[in-house]
Amino acid sequence: MPKLKKILCLLLLCLSAAAIAQDIHHQDAKSVEELLYKKDPTQARSLFTKDKYLVLEKVRSGKRKKFYKGDVFRFTTKDNISYEDDLFSISDSSFVITTFNEVMNRYEYVEIKLSEVKSIYKYPKKRINFGIANFSPFAYLLIEWAAWGVDPITNPKLPLAAGLTAVSPLFTILQNSLRSKKLTENYRLRVFQSF
């Protein structure tokens, strides 16, 4: 009797799965446009409307980072003015960003020539946080204490854990200093057209 219950439950499960499941041949395949819009909407919009886009190119290795209309573009001009705003439009020799004017309390359009850009930032500046994650090296000492009975105070790895905890904000400072790419003969900013 228990075997019959198991068979009935298995049969009921298979029937419900068959009723819910859809045959793979009857599924609608997504178009290339839908897939591109899902992956990166700004890139897809630029491709299908044939807009221009900015490219930060590393000449020696050929690596490229693309910036499309609507992307946040972080850069510094040769006048040492830093911007972190949306790209509004791109022409052959300049681009326009939308920036917030705090004096007038409104958004304004600023046109900047490609030759005025001094450096470009890959990602926003990270804040220096000192929280519970900084004390993670001490967690290993606690694991050793719980697993093998090694006293955390007399553990020879205590100075290493204390040093890593004290130095962890320096990693954020190092990341912030390495986030910019200065436009030199190795890095250049160019405009490309989508076809």
Side-chain angles (χ1 to χ4, degrees), residues 8-22:
L8 286 174
C9 287
L10 185 63
L11 183 65
L12 184 63
L13 183 68
C14 288
L15 287 175
S16 62
I20 294 171
Q22 187 180 15

Side-chain angles (χ1 to χ4, degrees), residues 71-76 81-87 97-100 121 123-125 179:
D71 286 346
V72 176
F73 191 52
R74 300 169 191 89
F75 64 97
T76 303
I81 301 172
S82 296
Y83 292 97
E84 185 174 345
D85 297 301
D86 295 336
L87 279 169
I97 58 168
T98 56
T99 185
F100 186 71
Y121 301 99
Y123 49 84
K125 192 172 188 177
R179 72 187 181 105

Side-chain angles (χ1 to χ4, degrees), residues 95-144:
F95 57 91
V96 177
I97 58 168
T98 56
T99 185
F100 186 71
N101 187 344
E102 294 178 4
V103 176
M104 300 294 286
N105 198 22
R106 66 177 182 190
Y107 282 96
E108 294 180 346
Y109 300 108
V110 178
E111 183 176 8
I112 296 174
K113 295 188 186 240
L114 292 177
S115 58
E116 294 176 7
V117 178
K118 180 172 83 172
S119 58
I120 296 173
Y121 301 99
K122 292 191 291 186
Y123 49 84
K125 192 172 188 177
K126 295 181 180 177
R127 289 185 296 134
I128 298 173
N129 293 328
F130 201 79
I132 193 78
N134 297 90
F135 294 100
S136 61
F138 287 109
Y140 182 73
L141 298 178
L142 295 175
I143 290 170
E144 279 189 354

Side-chain angles (χ1 to χ4, degrees), residues 24-187:
I24 199 158
H25 299 291
H26 295 291
Q27 292 179 356
D28 292 332
K30 291 186 177 180
S31 67
V32 175
E33 267 186 58
E34 290 174 334
L35 292 173
L36 283 173
Y37 271 107
K38 186 177 180 181
K39 183 181 176 191
D40 189 0
T42 55
Q43 179 183 5
R45 194 177 320 114
S46 176
L47 286 172
F48 293 118
T49 58
K50 297 182 175 40
D51 283 338
K52 294 181 174 149
Y53 58 93
L54 294 174
V55 174
L56 175 64
E57 182 179 30
K58 187 172 183 180
V59 177
R60 290 186 189 130
S61 67
K63 291 183 180 177
R64 293 179 173 179
K65 170 79 173 129
K66 299 174 185 175
F67 302 97
Y68 298 99
K69 211 163 72 168
D71 286 346
V72 176
F73 191 52
R74 300 169 191 89
F75 64 97
T76 303
T77 61
K78 291 182 179 174
D79 301 333
N80 288 328
I81 301 172
S82 296
Y83 292 97
E84 185 174 345
D85 297 301
D86 295 336
L87 279 169
F88 181 72
S89 70
I90 301 167
S91 67
D92 289 335
S93 61
S94 65
F95 57 91
V96 177
I97 58 168
T98 56
T99 185
F100 186 71
N101 187 344
E102 294 178 4
V103 176
M104 300 294 286
N105 198 22
R106 66 177 182 190
Y107 282 96
E108 294 180 346
Y109 300 108
V110 178
E111 183 176 8
I112 296 174
K113 295 188 186 240
L114 292 177
S115 58
E116 294 176 7
V117 178
K118 180 172 83 172
S119 58
I120 296 173
Y121 301 99
K122 292 191 291 186
Y123 49 84
K125 192 172 188 177
K126 295 181 180 177
R127 289 185 296 134
I128 298 173
N129 293 328
F130 201 79
I132 193 78
N134 297 90
F135 294 100
S136 61
F138 287 109
Y140 182 73
L141 298 178
L142 295 175
I143 290 170
E144 279 189 354
W145 182 40
W148 298 292
V150 179
D151 187 25
I153 304 298
T154 59
N155 194 331
K157 297 174 187 154
L158 180 65
L160 178 65
L164 286 173
T165 302
V167 171
S168 61
L170 294 177
F171 292 127
T172 307
I173 294 171
L174 183 66
Q175 280 182 332
N176 284 340
S177 66
L178 296 176
R179 72 187 181 105
S180 69
K181 299 295 179 194
K182 197 169 190 175
L183 296 182
T184 59
E185 62 274 350
N186 191 27
Y187 286 100

